[in-house]
Amino acid sequence: MSCIRLGINYGTKFGVRSVTYLHTGARVRGLKRDPSESLKNPYGLHFNSLLKDGHVATVRKALNLEKYGADLPDELLAQCLTHKSFAQGIKPYNQKLSIIGGHFIKFQACLYSVNQPVSDSQLQKVGAESITSPEAAGIMVNGLNFGMLGKGESKMLISKQTMAEFIQRRGVDKLVFWNKRDLEKNHIYNGEFTVLQTVLNAVVGGIYLLKGQEKAAEYVTHELFNGNDNSLTKISEQLLSKSESTEKNL
């Protein structure tokens, strides 16, 4: 469906009739889009409905923000859900919040990893089957499992795919506002994992800025790394197991 807006220019002696074509539907290079169409996300949801229809309340509940006293104002939540690609950046987007939250989550992931017990597979990978203790193998330092840092388990914990699936499992992905590069291409080409990762990072960044470091740490530790089915820890374990299984079958 398309619409045509007509106007008359009275600035000349005889008058000039001008026609502006506003395109709707799939993007076509060279055609001007209808402004109302540009404010919809890939699922057809209009940006104004976030606040008007209470979708931010759905996000607040899905991410359990109130449970930890980490609630955010509606306008800030809407910003967390908005990627810089959306509507040529005319709406407040989440880039800077995402950078702050992303660094904080990485830091918390490091703390989580070094506090995990040493596994038999860790000893085997460093050829330390005959060594009597993790300390002697150089894995444990002052009671902390530094051998976990940089390993697959630690990296998968906060990978783009893991964090994107977290947002998807919580049912928030269809409320995210961004623009696909090509509607005909898949999620990899369009960078959907990256977009969804910025949402979770931005939410944590917002908590950190408004509620403080302790509240942000509590939320990350008990909501993201708690081991429940929809947590980053469980999702990363499942993805890593699937990846290892695929490699064995190749």
Side-chain angles (χ1 to χ4, degrees), residues 33 40 59 75 82 96 114 131-132 156 171 177 181 196 198 213 221 236 240 242:
R33 290 179 64 79
K40 292 181 179 179
V59 175
E75 293 77 10
T82 307
K96 292 183 179 180
V114 298
I131 299 178
T132 57
M156 184 64 81
F177 286 81
R181 293 170 58 194
L196 297 183
T198 66
Q213 180 175 333
T221 301
S236 65
L240 194 60
K242 183 178 179 180

Side-chain angles (χ1 to χ4, degrees), residues 18-221:
S18 61
V19 177
T20 301
Y21 175 82
L22 300 178
H23 181 71
T24 61
R27 181 178 301 176
V28 176
R29 186 183 296 274
L31 295 183
K32 184 177 182 180
R33 290 179 64 79
D34 185 345
S36 63
E37 190 76 4
S38 67
L39 290 179
K40 292 181 179 179
N41 74 0
Y43 297 96
L45 185 68
H46 197 281
F47 183 81
N48 293 342
S49 69
L50 264 180
L51 300 178
K52 180 181 177 182
D53 297 334
H55 291 301
V56 290
T58 301
V59 175
R60 183 177 289 115
K61 182 177 180 180
L63 298 181
N64 289 326
L65 297 180
E66 293 180 342
K67 177 180 178 180
Y68 302 96
D71 197 9
L72 300 176
D74 287 356
E75 293 77 10
L76 186 56
L77 268 180
Q79 183 175 346
C80 291
L81 293 166
T82 307
H83 188 255
K84 65 179 180 179
S85 65
F86 180 69
Q88 292 77 51
I90 64 173
K91 297 295 184 181
Y93 52 83
N94 63 19
Q95 185 179 35
K96 292 183 179 180
L97 286 171
S98 178
I99 292 173
I100 295 170
H103 285 301
F104 187 75
I105 292 176
K106 287 180 181 178
F107 172 66
Q108 293 299 319
C110 288
L111 295 180
Y112 174 85
S113 295
V114 298
N115 279 285
Q116 298 306 300
V118 175
S119 64
D120 292 337
S121 62
Q122 275 187 273
L123 290 173
Q124 292 170 2
K125 287 179 181 178
V126 296
E129 296 92 335
S130 61
I131 299 178
T132 57
S133 69
E135 288 80 4
I139 297 175
M140 292 289 285
V141 180
N142 293 330
L144 298 176
N145 185 0
F146 280 89
M148 280 290 291
L149 297 181
K151 300 299 182 182
E153 297 91 334
S154 182
K155 292 192 291 185
M156 184 64 81
L157 182 63
I158 53 174
S159 70
K160 291 179 182 179
Q161 185 175 2
T162 300
M163 298 181 78
E165 188 161 331
F166 177 92
I167 292 295
Q168 291 169 339
R169 290 192 185 187
R170 300 299 178 102
V172 177
D173 55 310
K174 291 181 173 57
L175 301 177
V176 177
F177 286 81
W178 61 293
N179 284 342
K180 290 185 175 182
R181 293 170 58 194
D182 190 328
L183 296 175
E184 302 300 323
K185 299 291 181 66
N186 62 20
H187 68 90
I188 297 176
Y189 180 86
N190 284 298
E192 185 172 4
F193 286 169
T194 299
V195 171
L196 297 183
Q197 182 187 43
T198 66
V199 173
L200 183 55
N201 283 342
V203 169
V204 173
I207 296 172
Y208 181 88
L209 291 176
L210 289 190
K211 305 295 183 177
Q213 180 175 333
E214 287 188 14
K215 190 62 65 175
E218 179 186 2
Y219 180 78
V220 172
T221 301

